[in-house]
Each structure stands twice: as structure tokens, then as C-alpha cells.
């Protein structure tokens, strides 16, 4: 593996899962692999789990992590080409990426979408420019359209908790006061489809995701019907893809409640976090024994560590 930006960078998902479980059992098995290697974790946006789990994963492999909140602490970065830089942007992404590539053996980048221009966001300018101009392997720490380390951790978690070979996994839209990216649901859909689960996506009309991420999933507009017999409920809000970046609905009848969970096959509740309590999910559900949100968060270390290990093995 050279870059990691989506499930398409994974040659063999079963093998990757095996390696993740090996690392979870014995996190320091490869503690010398990253000796004298540097990973730069670059954040254009906020983070809790991604930042901490990536640092921990890097340290478990013997790597030195440098964490840089570029928007708060760095020069303002210009990402457009051919512009006269006479405004507030000090440094071009071409030099910034090139410089970081001289310091780091691996670069992790988090850059959310602007949610204004769909074509621009879905062309993944930031992550692509880092790949092109840094000369280093690039790991997505959530890009405009995907959050692959989260989705990989989600699949690890489903594998740990599933009671049947092919569980029914339901991705449910839920209300939120802010316009959020489609990255987490896009990415979750493509990973759980690749894992071979029965995948159902439920959301109000107008919240259809880009169909290139959901091919192989069933779209069910009736949330109650979608929940019937589910083994896993994955709650998440996203803004509209069709009416790009817009909030079309804040209907709290979509909030994941104990009553809705009763329709399922004693399903586990999942969410990538951070989660807005009593908007996305009621206190009762997230505080119930069926909630596995902390297990998911714990597995972020092993999804990151597995990916960093694959990239390190490919460096030499
Ligand atoms: C991000 C998202 O993509 O939905 C990151 C999730 C890992 N979530 C948010 O930005 C939540 C913001 C909020 O105010 O609740």
C-alpha cells in the first residue's frame, strides 16, 4: 500500500482485518518497524479520535508523530492554481506539501469539504494535491468525500460483535443542527458493502448519497421498516448531496430511540462520534449496553496502525 484514501486502496480486506486483529492482540509486535520514521498529521479541521488514535498508532510502531493544526497555527494556505496571491493566503499548497514531504515519511491529512461546490469537493483537491506535490505516501484522516480509517474501524468492530456471518447493517440518517459532510456515510457504505454485509440505508427523501458509494445497498425511505431485523444500527447525519450541502430536514422523529431499537434484532448501536445526544440518538440508546460507540473509537487505533504498518512495509 502506498496511499490510503479509500477502500479501493485495499487489495484484500480479509487480510487487512486479520492484520488489525493481530495488532490489537499484540500492539507492540512491530515496534521497530517505524524507527527513525516520521509521520506528519496535518489537520485543517478539528479532531479528537483521529488525532489521538493516529498518534498512538504511530508510537506503537516506533514512529515519531508530528501533529500540526495548520489552520490555527500555520500560514493560510492557497489551494487554487494560477491566482495572484495578494489576499490573506500566504503560502501555496504546492510548496507547503513539498516542504512537509521533505520532513515526513508519511503524511496524514484531514480536510473537510466546503459544502458549497459539489464538483470541487468531490474532486478531492486537497488530498490529491498532497499526493501530487509532497512525494510522500498520504493517508486520509477524513477528506471531502470519505473517512476511510473510521470505516475500517467500523468494519473491525462489526466483525468483533457480529453473531452471524452476514449481518444486516443499517445506516440511518438522523437530524442535526449543522450541515455535515457526506464523508462518513459515503465511506461507511463502501466499506460495509465491500465487507459483504446486507446493507440498508435509510433517510428522508432528498438525502440520497452519491450512488457510486451505495451500489449494492438497499435504500429504504421508511426508517421503521429499515430497522426490522437489523443487527447493527449506524446513526449519522449528513447534508444533502442532491441539493448540495443543504439541511432539508431536522425532523426529530428520525432520532434513534429505544422504541425504534425494539424493531431490530437486538441491534448494536454505532456512531463515529462526536455525537449530538438527543438529536442523533437518545440518551437511553447511547447509554444502553447495546451501544458500542467506545469499542468503535478504541478500534481507531488499530485501523490506523494497520494502515501505517502496510505503508511502512512498502517504504523499503
Ligand atoms: C464530522 C463529520 O464528517 O460529520 C466529523 C466526524 C468524524 N462531524 C462534525 O463535524 C460534527 C460537528 C458538530 O458540531 O456536531
Amino acid at each position: 500500500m502506498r496511499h490510503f484514501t479509500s477502500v479501493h486502496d485495499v487489495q484484500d480486506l480479509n487480510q487487512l482485518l486479520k492484520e488489525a486483529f493481530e495488532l490489537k492482540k499484540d500492539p507492540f509486535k512491530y515496534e521497530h518497524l517505524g524507527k527513525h520514521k516520521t509521520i506528519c498529521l496535518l489537520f485543517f479541521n478539528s479532531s479528537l479520535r483521529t488525532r489521538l488514535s493516529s498518534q498512538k498508532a504511530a508510537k506503537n510502531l516506533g514512529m515519531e508523530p508530528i501533529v500540526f493544526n495548520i489552520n490555527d497555527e500555520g500560514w493560510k494556505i492557497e489551494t487554487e492554481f494560477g491566482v495572484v496571491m495578494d489576499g490573506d493566503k500566504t503560502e501555496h499548497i504546492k510548496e507547503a506539501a513539498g516542504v512537509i514531504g521533505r520532513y515526513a515519511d508519511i503524511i496524514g491529512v484531514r480536510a473537510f469539504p466546503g459544502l458549497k461546490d459539489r464538483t470541487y469537493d468531490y474532486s478531492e483537491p486537497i488530498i490529491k494535491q498532497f499526493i501530487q506535490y509532497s512525494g510522500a505516501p498520504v493517508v486520509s484522516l477524513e477528506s471531502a468525500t470519505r473517512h476511510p480509517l473510521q470505516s475500517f474501524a467500523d468494519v473491525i468492530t462489526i466483525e468483533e460483535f457480529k453473531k452471524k456471518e452476514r449481518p444486516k447493517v443499517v445506516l440511518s440518517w438522523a437530524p442535526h443542527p449543522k450541515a455535515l459532510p457526506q464523508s462518513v456515510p459515503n465511506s461507511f457504505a463502501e466499506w460495509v458493502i465491500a465487507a459483504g454485509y446486507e446493507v440498508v440505508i435509510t433517510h428522508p427523501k432528498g438525502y440520497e448519497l452519491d450512488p457510486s458509494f451505495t451500489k449494492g445497498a438497499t435504500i429504504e425511505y421508511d426508517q421503521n421498516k429499515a430497522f426490522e431485523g437489523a443487527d447493527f444500527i449506524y446513526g449519522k447525519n449528513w447534508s444533502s448531496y442532491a441539493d448540495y450541502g443543504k439541511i432539508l430536514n431536522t425532523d426529530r422523529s428520525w432520532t434513534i430511540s429505544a422504541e425504534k431499537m425494539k424493531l431490530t434484532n437486538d441491534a448494536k448501536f454505532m456512531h463515529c462520534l462526536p455525537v449530538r445526544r438527543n438529536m442523533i440518538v437518545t440518551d437511553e440508546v447511547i447509554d444502553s449496553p447495546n451501544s458500542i460507540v467506545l469499542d468503535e473509537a478504541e478500534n481507531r487505533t488499530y485501523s490506523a496502525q494497520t494502515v501505517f504498518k502496510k505503508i511502512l512495509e512498502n517504504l523499503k
Side-chain angles (χ1 to χ4, degrees):
M1 191 185 289
R2 170 122 179 114
H3 304 291
F4 179 79
T5 66
S6 83
V7 75
H8 306 296
D9 295 313
V10 177
Q11 267 188 342
D12 182 343
L13 181 52
N14 281 326
Q15 174 60 27
L16 203 69
L17 282 164
K18 256 191 164 155
E19 291 178 47
F21 288 118
E22 185 196 20
L23 285 170
K24 190 166 180 177
K25 236 199 228 147
D26 190 0
F28 306 115
K29 186 165 176 188
Y30 299 91
E31 65 185 336
H32 302 298
L33 187 65
K35 193 178 175 202
H36 298 159
K37 300 283 185 226
T38 301
I39 184 166
C40 181
L41 304 168
L42 205 60
F43 289 90
F44 286 87
N45 307 95
S46 308
S47 168
L48 188 155
R49 279 145 294 276
T50 302
R51 178 182 315 235
L52 300 185
S53 64
S54 301
Q55 285 186 75
K56 189 172 158 82
K59 283 175 178 285
N60 287 354
L61 292 164
M63 265 196 291
E64 188 60 48
I66 299 174
V67 181
F68 186 20
N69 304 320
I70 188 162
N71 266 0
D72 305 332
E73 298 158 11
W75 300 115
K76 288 229 174 323
I77 301 295
E78 178 61 67
T79 55
E80 300 294 328
F81 286 79
V83 290
V84 177
M85 287 174 59
D86 61 354
D88 64 336
K89 309 268 174 67
T90 307
E91 178 150 32
H92 201 275
I93 193 163
K94 205 166 168 180
E95 283 77 51
V99 168
I100 294 165
R102 298 289 174 107
Y103 303 145
D105 299 284
I106 304 177
I107 303 175
V109 182
R110 162 162 290 194
F112 288 174
L115 293 178
K116 290 196 169 64
D117 179 342
R118 185 170 94 176
T119 310
Y120 179 77
D121 287 347
Y122 273 67
S123 74
E124 288 288 9
I126 309 279
I127 209 111
K128 285 216 175 108
Q129 285 161 14
F130 269 92
I131 289 175
Q132 192 169 354
Y133 300 117
S134 73
V138 173
V139 175
S140 165
L141 305 176
E142 187 172 345
S143 71
T145 67
R146 291 177 170 95
H147 194 357
L149 287 175
Q150 177 66 50
S151 313
F152 180 25
D154 295 334
V155 173
I156 295 171
T157 312
I158 293 172
E159 286 300 304
E160 286 178 327
F161 283 90
K162 73 178 188 185
K163 293 190 192 117
K164 51 163 101 87
E165 187 52 33
R166 190 167 183 263
K168 177 175 174 182
V169 176
V170 178
L171 166 61
S172 178
W173 181 92
H176 196 284
K178 272 170 59 183
L180 297 187
Q182 294 102 35
S183 317
V184 171
N186 280 345
S187 193
F188 181 74
E190 68 182 0
W191 280 75
V192 290
I193 292 165
Y197 308 140
E198 181 190 349
V199 181
V200 177
I201 305 175
T202 184
H203 52 69
K205 289 236 161 74
Y207 279 98
E208 294 76 11
L209 294 164
D210 175 347
S212 66
F213 293 92
T214 59
K215 206 165 153 268
T218 304
I219 313 299
E220 172 56 68
Y221 295 104
D222 180 339
Q223 193 191 30
N224 289 341
K225 211 168 150 207
F227 274 40
E228 280 170 19
D231 299 297
F232 293 90
I233 299 294
Y234 196 95
K236 185 72 186 88
N237 171 270
W238 61 89
S239 61
S240 175
Y241 172 73
D243 194 356
Y244 191 64
K246 296 279 170 2
I247 299 175
L248 310 177
N249 192 328
T250 49
D251 180 0
R252 281 178 47 207
S253 74
W254 279 80
T255 299
I256 297 164
S257 63
E259 200 183 359
K260 285 183 204 295
M261 291 300 281
K262 283 204 188 92
L263 300 167
T264 69
N265 179 31
D266 197 27
K268 300 293 184 202
F269 173 76
M270 300 178 74
H271 190 280
C272 63
L273 307 181
V275 70
R276 302 275 189 138
R277 281 172 175 255
N278 303 310
M279 282 297 293
I280 300 286
V281 59
T282 62
D283 287 334
E284 194 180 357
V285 172
I286 195 167
D287 292 331
S288 78
N290 279 27
S291 170
I292 55 171
V293 295
L294 299 186
D295 301 280
E296 258 179 288
E298 180 182 344
N299 284 330
R300 293 295 310 276
T301 299
Y302 305 105
S303 70
Q305 199 175 333
T306 309
V307 167
F308 297 164
K309 171 179 167 269
K310 296 298 263 186
I311 294 174
L312 284 170
E313 284 169 345
N314 192 51
L315 278 182
K316 299 168 250 182

